[in-house]
Amino acid sequence: MAVSMRLTRVGGKKDPVWRVVVADRRSPRDGRFIETVGRYNAQTDPSTIVIDEDRARHWLTHGAQPTRTVAGLLRTQGIEAVGR
């Protein structure tokens, strides 16, 4: 099973809040996911990024591939994305 770390959108209309989730690559953007490892809110100043570092590292070492955006968020938090 190909697993990816990506963003899923929650929040209201014109007020997006994003969750960083681990999901099967075949599932839709806002569909089924395996685990939530963080959240991201770009509407605040400065942006709010909260990521559970232990769980993110766990999934990265077990082969989860982060999307480009999630890799940037991980880099901002000081978590090195393996494979990117």
Side-chain angles (χ1 to χ4, degrees):
M1 175 168 71
V3 178
S4 66
M5 290 179 71
R6 63 181 182 208
L7 296 176
T8 185
R9 184 182 166 142
V10 293
K13 183 177 179 181
K14 296 189 179 182
D15 184 30
V17 178
W18 301 89
R19 287 186 187 149
V20 180
V21 298
V22 177
D24 185 351
R25 195 173 301 264
R26 298 170 293 181
S27 64
R29 180 191 76 180
D30 295 336
R32 172 180 255 169
F33 58 89
I34 300 169
E35 182 179 359
T36 302
V37 294
R39 65 182 188 275
Y40 169 58
N41 187 354
Q43 301 293 318
T44 60
D45 187 29
S47 297
T48 305
I49 303 170
V50 178
I51 296 178
D52 183 355
E53 188 173 341
D54 292 335
R55 294 308 296 165
R57 288 187 193 279
H58 167 80
W59 282 107
L60 289 170
T61 58
H62 283 83
Q65 292 295 312
T67 60
R68 184 175 294 145
T69 306
V70 171
L73 293 175
L74 292 173
R75 203 171 20 256
T76 301
Q77 294 299 330
I79 304 168
E80 202 54 41
V82 178
R84 284 258 179 192

